[in-house]
Amino acid sequence: MSAYRPDDAPSDLRRRDLAPRTSGRGNRSAARPVVQVVGKSRAFVAALVAAGVVLSGCASADGGEETSTTTSPAAAGEPGNPWDLPIEQRPALFDPCAEIPVEAIEEGVGKAVEPSESLTRHRPGRLMGCGWINEEVHVTAASSWKSRSDYLADQSLVRVADSGAVQDDRGLRMVEFGDRTDSTCLQLFFTGSGAVWVKLDIVTGLGRFRGAQFVKACDALEEAMVPIMPYIPEGNF
């Protein structure tokens, strides 16, 4: 979509009424009635205009049928749906590296983590991602403008039942297609700062998480998300 451009306003051309002129050498008595008629006509028009202003004021004061088409400042300032805008006009994507503190990740997984350069993406307007790892799990958080329908059509992902404390009407929970070990889980939110997701991968063979074994990734993510949730952007789009 092209950016809006102000319309080219037409020139403000106005006609000036030219009163008929009479020659000074002609019959001056014949010119007088014309002057009087013109004067009376102008006085009559001025009276009509004045009457119209008075009637308009009365109609407005009495709550007549006349309605204003001017948009109120409050309505003009109301935020719209950023997902309806062209990509280049949308707000900046949520940056998990800057917005999610490492302490929230560590609290969620129950032990220390290290930032992962291989899981970090910094493509403003397209993809912003950050990753934290330890010997048990990899946690990734990212944002993009990929829509809900695009995620649902993505054949590499499968939607699973929405349940748990962090699930609400904004959420969408998915797992990787073909994951038979329940080792990966993805939680999505469609916000005013893009589609934000948090993914947890269990990397141990016994599915170890916070001292327990054979933990499913979605159960681990459910627990890990609790301290992360306050940092997820608002919005439900």
Side-chain angles (χ1 to χ4, degrees):
M1 297 178 62
S2 59
Y4 290 105
R5 294 184 302 174
D7 295 331
D8 294 328
S11 300
D12 186 13
L13 301 178
R14 299 175 181 173
R15 291 186 178 181
R16 293 182 298 174
D17 294 330
L18 300 178
R21 297 182 179 178
T22 58
S23 171
R25 295 183 181 180
N27 189 341
R28 294 183 179 180
S29 62
R32 289 175 183 172
V34 175
V35 174
Q36 293 176 356
V37 170
V38 171
K40 291 180 179 180
S41 298
R42 291 178 177 173
F44 181 70
V45 171
L48 287 178
V49 171
V53 171
V54 172
L55 290 176
S56 176
C58 291
S60 300
D62 294 339
E65 297 181 357
E66 183 177 335
T67 59
S68 173
T69 58
T70 304
T71 303
S72 65
E78 290 178 359
N81 185 345
W83 291 80
D84 291 337
L85 297 172
I87 290 290
E88 64 273 10
Q89 296 180 19
R90 295 180 188 181
L93 285 170
F94 175 73
D95 184 355
C97 293
E99 301 296 336
I100 301 179
V102 67
E103 292 81 7
I105 304 297
E106 292 178 338
E107 181 182 349
V109 301
K111 58 176 55 183
V113 295
E114 295 180 357
S116 171
E117 290 294 331
S118 64
L119 297 177
T120 300
R121 301 289 183 271
H122 191 268
R123 302 171 187 167
R126 297 179 56 194
L127 177 65
M128 301 294 287
C130 206
W132 304 265
I133 62 175
N134 62 25
E135 70 278 7
E136 292 182 351
V137 296
H138 293 175
V139 178
T140 311
S143 66
S144 71
W145 288 109
K146 186 175 179 179
S147 68
R148 180 187 294 263
S149 59
D150 287 339
Y151 273 106
L152 292 173
D154 190 335
Q155 297 184 357
S156 68
L157 297 170
V158 179
R159 184 177 184 178
V160 296
D162 297 339
S163 62
V166 302
Q167 286 294 105
D168 55 22
D169 58 352
R170 299 187 301 158
L172 183 64
R173 182 166 292 179
M174 310 189 84
V175 298
E176 291 183 357
F177 178 78
D179 178 16
R180 300 181 184 276
T181 60
D182 294 321
S183 61
T184 181
C185 192
L186 180 75
Q187 181 69 46
L188 277 149
F189 300 96
F190 298 90
T191 78
S193 300
V196 177
W197 53 262
V198 178
K199 181 184 177 186
L200 185 144
D201 292 280
I202 295 179
V203 296
T204 64
L206 297 178
R208 190 169 60 249
F209 179 75
R210 295 181 69 105
Q213 293 183 348
F214 303 108
V215 178
K216 295 181 179 180
C218 284
D219 293 336
L221 178 62
E222 178 72 24
E223 189 171 354
M225 281 294 299
V226 173
I228 298 174
M229 283 298 293
Y231 302 97
I232 301 298
E234 295 294 328
N236 177 20
F237 298 97

